[in-house]
């Protein structure tokens, strides 16, 4: 995972790119670089190590260009060295590429391009991309192939999960970006356009964002953004408006984002509880118990938790399967405990990257929950898609019921599953999950309690007591932080 940024507009591109990379430094920090087009040529500056090394180098050069791409690297192929830092260029220096992810078939492509005389200067998988685009542009030059068509042809030859941003010195007013299983969003400004692998880099400039989906490619010019499929078909996408203030991505009084986010935890829990607990829960548990006792036993009562998950989903459940990676996997282990102890449903937690290759045998009446903070974790998405696929032709009792727990309601996960629980923790920039982990635990609590209510696995008075205790949490957390 790395950070990609791109800019085309009227301001000095290198300033915008560096500011954007600062917001994405958490995504990769073993080297960084950027490229712009100026006076008909590509100018690139790269540096090993943290971003300030790149900033220092940039202070010594002039780059008054208003188009560019930038990258903070998290190496997968090739050591963290300057020669492996992005952007990578073709041998003529006419095409520059930054990439997030892995080109799985880079060895074959490298051999093919080497045989044609292309010289490789890095050990990365990425370097095949600029050579490939240059090769297509040269081979088809008599047909007057466009820069966009050349990139479309090139991405169709790449296997793997990647997002790229590409510049071509011969098309100095175009920036091309493409997405295949690695996130990429486009920010729409007034006469200026941005791209980034994560929205924190866009928020200071615009709230209007277009998220590319897998197999989509976009052409950014001074006039606007055109989106196409990898087969070249034009798409009409509607941007969404973010509701994030630029101050969300500032550190404020805190030395680190992680510290800031730790201090945001009480607020996150409070907001989550407020969003998902019905008003009645403001009452004291005893009062509610009395109120409940007054109602006739067979009368249907609404759950005190409002997750908008159809209660029919809970009724005949025999098993819950959770798919997650990393910190979300750890939160899911707590989730298993809650789901089993409160809702009484046998639960298994699978590491999504393992489940993709070693799925558990199909069981009927299973709820599958995918947990990913970003909603973009490739293994979690792939294992959920696989689960959906293998249940399509199975008998009805095996039908897929997919639920997502994520902090990004606009993410790929939210598009993949019919229901999500939005953990509402706000942007998390710290590498170690803090507030989003806590928010996932709250989501599991609420889910387990909602199930317990509908399945009647807990006495209502006990359930309401737990809710009352949960409501104490934010104040207790504040006290702890204060101490
Ligand atoms: N695979 C590329 C490399 O090793 C990109 C890694 C990244 O996503 O930062 O350079």
């Amino acid at each position: 995972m790395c950070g990609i940024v791109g800019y085309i507009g009227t301001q000095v591109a290198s300033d915008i790119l560096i500011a954007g990379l600062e917001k994405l430094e958490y995504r990769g920090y073993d080297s960084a670089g950027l490229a712009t087009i100026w006076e008909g040529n590509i100018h690139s500056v790269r540096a090993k190590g943290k971003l300030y090394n790149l900033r220092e180098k940039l202070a010594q050069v002039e780059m008054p260009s208003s188009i560019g791409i930038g990258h903070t690297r998290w190496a997968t192929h090739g050591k963290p060295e300057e020669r492996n830092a992005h952007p990578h260029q073709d041998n003529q220096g006419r095409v520059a590429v930054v990439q997030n992810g892995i080109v799985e078939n880079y060895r074959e492509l490298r051999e093919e391009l080497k045989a044609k005389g292309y010289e490789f200067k890095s050990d990365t998988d990425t370097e095949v991309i600029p050579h490939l685009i240059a090769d297509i542009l040269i081979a088809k030059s008599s047909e007057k192939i466009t820069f966009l068509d050349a990139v479309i042809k090139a991405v169709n030859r790449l296997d793997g999960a990647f997002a790229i941003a590409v510049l071509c010195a011969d098309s100095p007013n175009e920036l091309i970006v493409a997405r295949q299983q690695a996130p990429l969003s486009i920010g729409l400004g007034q006469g200026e356009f941005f791209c980034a692998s994560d929205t924190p880099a866009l928020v200071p400039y615009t709230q209007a964002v277009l998220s590319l989906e897998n197999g989509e490619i976009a052409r950014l010019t001074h006039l606007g953004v055109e989106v196409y499929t990898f087969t070249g078909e034009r798409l009409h996408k509607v941007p969404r408006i973010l509701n994030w203030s630029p101050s969300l991505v500032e550190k404020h009084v805190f030395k680190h984002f992680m510290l800031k986010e730790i201090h945001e935890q009480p607020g996150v829990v409070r907001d989550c509880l407020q969003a998902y607990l019905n008003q009645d829960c403001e009452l004291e548990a005893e009062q509610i118990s009395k109120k409940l006792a007054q109602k006739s036993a067979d009368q249907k009562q609404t759950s005190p938790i409002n997750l908008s998950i159809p209660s029919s989903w809970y009724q005949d459940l025999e098993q819950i399967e959770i798919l997650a990676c990393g910190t979300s996997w750890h939160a899911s282990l707590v989730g298993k405990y809650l789901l089993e102890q409160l809702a009484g449903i046998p639960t298994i937690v699978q590491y999504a990257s393992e489940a993709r290759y070693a799925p558990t045998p199909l069981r009927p009446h299973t709820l599958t929950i995918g947990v990913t903070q970003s909603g973009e974790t490739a293994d979690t998405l792939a294992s959920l898609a696989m689960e959906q696929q293998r249940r399509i032709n199975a008998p009805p009792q095996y039908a897929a019921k997919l639920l997502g727990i994520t902090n990004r309601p606009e993410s790929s996960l939210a598009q993949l599953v019919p229901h999500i629980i939005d953990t509402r923790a706000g942007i998390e920039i710290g590498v170690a999950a803090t507030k989003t982990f806590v928010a996932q635990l709250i989501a599991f609590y609420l889910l387990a309690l909602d199930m317990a209510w509908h399945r009647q696995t807990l006495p209502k008075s006990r359930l309401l007591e737990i809710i009352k205790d949960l409501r104490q949490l934010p104040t207790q957390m504040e006290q702890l932080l204060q101490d």
Side-chain angles (χ1 to χ4, degrees):
M1 182 171 87
C2 74
I4 288 180
V5 288
Y7 176 75
I8 180 164
T10 50
Q11 305 186 57
V12 176
S14 53
D15 294 347
I16 307 256
L17 297 173
I18 280 283
L21 290 177
E22 270 168 14
K23 298 278 182 275
L24 299 181
E25 211 180 355
Y26 65 97
R27 294 178 66 105
Y29 30 78
D30 61 42
S31 56
L34 54 83
T36 60
I37 304 176
W38 179 33
E39 293 180 335
N41 292 310
I42 287 181
H43 295 262
S44 169
V45 181
R46 304 183 296 175
K48 185 180 166 181
K50 289 209 171 191
L51 205 52
Y52 56 71
N53 296 343
L54 179 67
R55 214 181 293 117
E56 268 175 18
K57 272 192 157 182
L58 274 174
Q60 288 152 33
V61 293
E62 271 214 64
M63 274 194 168
S65 165
S66 58
I67 180 169
I69 54 178
H71 188 265
T72 58
R73 182 168 183 241
W74 188 243
T76 63
H77 293 69
K79 281 187 196 160
E81 298 285 356
E82 187 177 318
R83 66 191 181 87
N84 287 329
H86 300 213
H88 290 284
Q89 295 186 42
D90 69 308
N91 290 150
Q92 308 306 319
R94 306 306 288 165
V95 178
V97 174
V98 292
Q99 181 223 346
N100 174 10
I102 294 173
V103 179
E104 302 276 3
N105 59 336
Y106 81 99
R107 277 199 196 89
E108 297 95 277
L109 291 171
R110 205 174 159 108
E111 289 317 310
E112 178 187 319
L113 289 158
K114 267 185 175 172
K116 287 184 173 177
Y118 291 92
E119 199 186 312
F120 281 77
K121 297 189 174 127
S122 78
D123 305 321
T124 64
D125 50 336
T126 310
E127 200 187 339
V128 296
I129 308 173
H131 293 308
L132 198 56
I133 297 171
D135 189 56
I136 295 166
L137 283 167
I138 294 165
K140 306 269 180 184
S141 57
S142 58
E143 295 167 27
K144 291 224 173 325
I145 187 171
T146 63
F147 174 32
L148 173 71
D149 285 336
V151 182
I152 290 182
K153 281 204 160 47
V155 290
N156 277 294
R157 300 233 26 223
L158 307 178
D159 291 340
F162 56 84
I164 56 169
V166 193
L167 287 184
C168 177
D170 301 312
S171 302
N173 296 312
E174 290 178 49
L175 166 59
I176 310 273
V177 296
R179 172 195 161 130
Q180 184 59 46
Q181 285 174 18
L184 198 70
S185 295
I186 296 168
L188 310 176
Q190 304 249 316
E192 55 181 359
F193 302 95
F194 309 80
C195 76
S197 43
D198 205 357
T199 28
L202 303 176
V203 170
Y205 306 104
T206 180
Q207 298 282 316
V209 170
L210 265 182
S211 295
L212 288 191
E213 278 161 46
N214 292 336
E216 289 181 358
I217 187 161
R219 177 172 171 262
L220 283 63
T221 66
H222 289 97
L223 298 178
V225 176
E226 299 155 14
V227 184
Y228 300 85
T229 61
F230 278 10
T231 50
E233 223 172 284
R234 180 87 189 258
L235 298 170
H236 293 280
K237 293 181 72 114
V238 182
R240 70 199 150 83
I241 307 300
L242 298 175
N243 197 10
W244 291 347
S245 97
S247 81
L248 265 175
V249 292
E250 299 298 336
K251 281 188 237 162
H252 299 293
V253 296
F254 298 101
K255 200 169 166 212
H256 306 288
F257 278 111
M258 185 172 163
L259 194 56
K260 177 189 171 215
E261 287 155 8
I262 286 171
H263 281 265
E264 284 172 353
Q265 291 177 115
V268 165
V269 173
R270 192 171 281 125
D271 178 56
C272 225
L273 294 176
Q274 203 144 11
Y276 295 120
L277 290 179
N278 288 333
Q279 285 308 309
D280 259 6
C281 298
E282 299 292 344
L283 303 174
E284 287 298 310
E286 303 87 76
Q287 272 178 281
I288 299 177
S289 304
K290 265 191 221 151
K291 267 178 87 178
L292 293 174
Q294 282 159 16
K295 296 192 177 177
S296 72
D298 57 4
Q299 193 182 340
K300 270 214 159 178
Q301 291 148 3
T302 15
S303 164
I305 296 129
N306 176 18
L307 295 174
S308 309
I309 299 169
S311 58
S312 57
W313 272 34
Y314 299 154
Q315 291 318 332
D316 54 1
L317 279 188
E318 285 173 17
Q319 182 194 231
I320 295 173
E321 181 186 28
I322 308 177
L323 299 163
C325 294
T327 302
S328 298
W329 181 81
H330 282 96
S332 302
L333 294 180
V334 182
K336 167 186 162 75
Y337 172 83
L338 296 170
L339 292 164
E340 290 188 336
Q341 300 311 310
L342 302 179
I345 306 170
T347 301
I348 53 168
V349 184
Q350 296 268 78
Y351 220 97
S353 50
E354 303 288 326
R356 282 179 75 174
Y357 303 101
T360 47
L362 273 192
R363 299 260 317 261
H365 303 298
T366 299
L367 172 67
T368 307
I369 309 177
V371 189
T372 145
Q373 186 279 127
S374 64
E376 302 293 345
T377 308
D379 285 317
T380 306
L381 296 178
S383 60
L384 278 170
M386 194 180 92
E387 195 59 24
Q388 191 174 39
Q389 194 56 40
R390 69 181 184 141
R391 287 179 181 271
I392 279 179
N393 295 322
Q397 67 272 31
Y398 289 89
K401 282 181 189 166
L402 301 185
L403 174 71
I405 296 182
T406 182
N407 197 32
R408 294 291 184 92
E410 77 285 1
S411 63
S412 306
L413 174 75
Q415 278 153 33
L416 182 69
V417 303
H419 293 284
I420 59 154
I421 303 177
D422 176 3
T423 54
R424 306 171 60 96
I427 298 177
E428 185 167 67
I429 294 183
V431 177
T434 54
K435 62 174 181 173
T436 57
F437 174 76
V438 169
Q440 286 177 345
L441 299 189
I442 297 296
F444 272 120
Y445 247 113
L446 295 172
L447 179 65
L449 289 171
D450 196 32
M451 282 187 179
W453 177 276
H454 289 287
R455 293 168 61 92
Q456 302 182 359
T457 48
L458 275 185
K460 286 195 170 134
S461 56
R462 173 73 192 118
L463 199 144
L464 293 166
E465 240 171 56
I466 297 176
I467 292 179
K468 192 181 164 203
D469 288 347
L470 280 175
R471 285 198 171 275
Q472 310 290 319
L473 254 185
T475 320
Q476 290 166 346
M477 292 170 97
E478 267 156 6
Q479 193 58 52
L480 266 173
L481 287 168
Q482 212 173 323
D483 291 347

